[in-house]
Amino acid sequence: MSATPTEEQVQETPTAEASSAPVTAETTADQSSAVEEAEHAFAEDDLSIPEDVPSADDPSSRATSRSLDDAGFTLDEFAALLSKYDYNFKPGDIVNGTVFALESKGAMIDIGAKTAAFMPLQEVSINRVEGLSDVLQPGEIREFFIMSEENEDGQLALSVRRIEYQRAWERVRQLQKEDATIYSEVFATNRGGALVRVEGLRGFIPGSHISTRKPKEELVADFLPLKFLEVDEERNRLVLSHRRALVERKMNRLEVGEVVIGTVRGIKPYGAFIDIGGVSGLLHISEISHEHIETPHSVLNVNDQMKVMIIDLDAERGRISLSTKALEPEPGDMLTDPQKVFDNAEEMAARYKKMLLEQAEEGEEALGTMMV
């Protein structure tokens, strides 16, 4: 709209000339003519909306849409790319995360979810830790196990202990498969035996599989060689044997037919347990003498020193079988003259080995005849 003055404004607004010249009839006529021309020009202005202006409902009034043909990817590819970053976390998943805050009750972990995940202190490690900073550092990137669905705040619960637990059982199963001997520290004892840790898992050594002269209570903090007896993740049972480890070590230096000096450590109705250099062997009642014996107590006493011959080595069961019967020069000498058995032990053992060798050769000849 043009800024055309009204008649009153024209009349009221003095000009430089009007202030110095008197108003005449001609001046008034000129002013009236100027007002009429201004009003005529204002009336001729076209203030209507042009017909070619589109409405808001007309698509042509919007920004021109462009085809994605030249974008370098299709809509499906674009959707797939978006879904790649649409994380769907579920319990049991193992994900990478970054530690960004350590708190008194746990750690805050960034795993790319909408809300930071939380790992409670008890889930930090399979081993007991005093503080989070002992095992975690801000900015550290590692794997985490998702324990549960999101809570009402959209937060996930994480664990490192679960991952270590799974991998510890895998490692223990492999060690058992390899029939490995391990060393572990006793951290507690009870009426049944001793407790140790293997790969972070709690293991139990039954009292019958502890082979030492020490009282059980004094084993705490001792490192013992151990063999696996039972590995059962489902039942959470890890049972080990100290005796088997010692027997195997001793067996590597022993052979059937060898004579060794031992000490009677215990007597049972079925026989006596003989300590032969740190491991225990069984002298069964039937292997004490050629003569019939009612009870081992009638022949043997605890702490007796004697010579025995090894007649069997069972590495799998961790057992050593012994005999004095094979060392008797005459049947019944263990009952009447045990010193004679002691003095002639090596000679009798040599005869025993020769007999075994002859039996083996006869067996091979018989087998060869049968095959022919």
Side-chain angles (χ1 to χ4, degrees):
M1 181 181 294
S2 59
T4 305
T6 63
E7 182 177 356
E8 290 79 3
Q9 289 173 331
V10 172
Q11 291 176 351
E12 292 175 1
T13 303
T15 64
E17 293 179 354
S19 61
S20 59
V23 178
T24 63
E26 291 182 0
T27 302
T28 302
D30 290 340
Q31 291 176 346
S32 299
S33 177
V35 170
E36 290 177 358
E37 289 178 359
E39 289 178 348
H40 180 70
F42 182 79
E44 288 182 351
D45 284 344
D46 188 0
L47 302 179
S48 63
I49 298 175
E51 294 182 0
D52 59 349
V53 175
S55 67
D57 295 329
D58 188 346
S60 64
S61 69
R62 305 167 193 165
T64 303
S65 60
R66 296 184 179 181
S67 171
L68 294 177
D69 293 341
D70 299 329
F73 53 83
T74 65
L75 288 174
D76 290 341
E77 291 171 338
F78 183 66
L81 185 63
L82 289 178
S83 65
K84 178 180 178 182
Y85 295 96
D86 184 16
Y87 296 104
N88 293 314
F89 299 105
K90 59 182 183 296
D93 286 350
I94 295 178
V95 297
N96 287 326
T98 303
V99 180
F100 70 86
L102 301 181
E103 301 180 353
S104 60
K105 295 184 178 181
M108 303 301 293
I109 313 296
D110 179 11
I111 60 171
K114 297 177 182 178
T115 304
F118 180 71
M119 181 170 60
L121 177 61
Q122 62 269 25
E123 295 295 331
V124 169
S125 175
I126 195 173
N127 298 306
R128 182 176 298 178
V129 296
E130 296 297 329
L132 287 173
S133 59
D134 294 339
V135 291
L136 290 178
Q137 296 297 325
E140 179 182 354
I141 300 175
R142 63 182 304 169
E143 290 182 327
F144 297 91
F145 179 92
I146 298 178
M147 293 195 297
S148 62
E149 301 280 358
E150 294 180 350
N151 61 16
E152 60 275 10
D153 298 323
Q155 191 175 65
L156 291 164
L158 305 181
S159 172
V160 169
R161 185 180 68 87
R162 304 290 180 90
I163 297 176
E164 293 178 344
Y165 185 81
Q166 291 175 356
R167 292 176 180 172
W169 278 109
E170 291 174 3
R171 177 63 177 154
V172 165
R173 283 193 293 269
Q174 182 62 32
L175 289 171
Q176 182 193 35
K177 184 178 179 181
E178 297 171 358
D179 195 27
T181 298
I182 62 170
Y183 284 82
S184 186
E185 181 182 10
V186 176
F187 69 86
T189 61
N190 55 32
R191 290 181 59 189
L195 299 174
V196 296
R197 294 193 185 278
V198 182
E199 298 290 327
L201 302 172
R202 177 177 292 194
F204 176 66
I205 312 172
S208 60
H209 280 268
I210 297 175
S211 185
T212 177
R213 298 179 183 178
K214 275 187 176 183
K216 280 190 304 184
E217 302 75 29
E218 297 181 12
L219 290 176
V220 176
D222 281 1
F223 280 85
L224 303 179
L226 303 169
K227 301 288 286 189
F228 292 97
L229 292 179
E230 183 179 355
V231 176
D232 190 339
E233 181 179 359
E234 291 184 1
R235 299 171 62 194
N236 195 31
R237 283 176 59 85
L238 180 58
V239 185
L240 305 111
S241 173
H242 174 230
R243 178 168 58 83
R244 272 195 60 189
L246 291 181
V247 169
E248 182 182 89
R249 182 192 298 175
K250 188 70 176 178
M251 282 182 179
N252 292 333
R253 301 190 296 269
L254 298 175
E255 61 180 22
V256 173
E258 181 179 358
V259 174
V260 293
I261 296 178
T263 304
V264 178
R265 293 302 180 193
I267 301 176
K268 303 293 182 181
Y270 53 83
F273 289 98
I274 314 297
D275 184 328
I276 51 172
V279 295
S280 183
L282 175 64
L283 176 61
H284 194 269
I285 188 172
S286 63
E287 289 294 334
I288 295 177
S289 176
H290 284 88
E291 296 292 334
H292 176 71
I293 297 176
E294 292 292 338
T295 172
H297 289 86
S298 63
V299 182
L300 304 173
N301 296 299
V302 174
N303 294 326
D304 280 353
Q305 277 203 334
M306 55 193 303
K307 287 184 179 179
V308 293
M309 188 176 73
I310 299 170
I311 58 173
D312 186 54
L313 295 170
D314 188 344
E316 184 176 348
R317 300 172 67 185
R319 292 183 179 178
I320 301 175
S321 297
L322 307 172
S323 175
T324 52
K325 180 172 72 174
L327 301 179
E328 287 183 319
E330 298 293 335
D333 281 344
M334 275 298 295
L335 306 179
T336 60
D337 192 356
Q339 185 63 44
K340 182 179 178 182
V341 176
F342 190 97
D343 294 339
N344 293 275
E346 285 75 16
E347 180 185 347
M348 296 304 298
R351 293 183 185 180
Y352 183 81
K353 288 182 179 181
K354 183 178 179 181
M355 180 187 69
L356 292 179
L357 181 60
E358 290 174 351
Q359 290 177 350
E361 290 175 350
E362 290 175 0
E364 290 178 0
E365 291 176 359
L367 180 61
T369 303
M370 291 175 61
M371 294 180 65
V372 172

